[in-house]
Amino acid sequence: MADDDLTLLDRWCGGDKTAGNDLFTRHFASVYRFFEHKTDHEIDDLVQETFLQCVRSRASFKRRSTCRTYLFAIARHVLFGCWGQH
């Protein structure tokens, strides 16, 4: 049985690169699509920044939502930051 997203996030933050790869693979396509038609910036960089911020801000994640919801909230902030640079 596959690990849930929160377990993968915890393991990734604990240094398990395989868990990080699993979480990234599970959500890459949907996060990429989120950015795809909203900006002309390099989408791969925005996706990478989203996952990086996911790990960096993990301590503030209250777990009142799914990991996917948390990830997309971060993606939204990354997008707003990108738009703010123009």
Side-chain angles (χ1 to χ4, degrees):
M1 182 173 167
D3 288 325
D4 67 38
D5 290 344
L6 294 174
T7 299
L8 290 174
L9 179 60
D10 288 341
R11 287 180 33 214
W12 185 20
C13 290
D16 183 343
K17 292 179 183 179
T18 300
N21 285 335
D22 290 348
L23 188 64
F24 185 82
T25 300
R26 189 176 289 177
H27 294 288
F28 172 82
S30 56
V31 173
Y32 188 95
R33 280 191 307 272
F34 172 80
F35 290 114
E36 193 168 26
H37 299 290
K38 295 177 178 73
T39 182
D40 58 359
H41 278 74
E42 183 60 41
I43 297 170
D44 289 335
D45 291 344
L46 297 173
V47 172
Q48 182 176 350
E49 181 63 24
T50 298
F51 280 91
L52 180 62
Q53 291 300 324
C54 178
V55 172
R56 284 184 178 161
S57 63
R58 179 182 149 261
S60 66
F61 179 37
K62 305 290 188 220
R63 297 176 182 245
R64 294 183 193 143
S65 64
T66 65
C67 186
R68 178 181 168 86
T69 299
Y70 172 60
L71 192 59
F72 277 91
I74 293 168
R76 184 174 146 258
H77 286 285
V78 168
L79 180 63
F80 288 167
C82 173
W83 284 346
Q85 293 176 354
H86 288 92

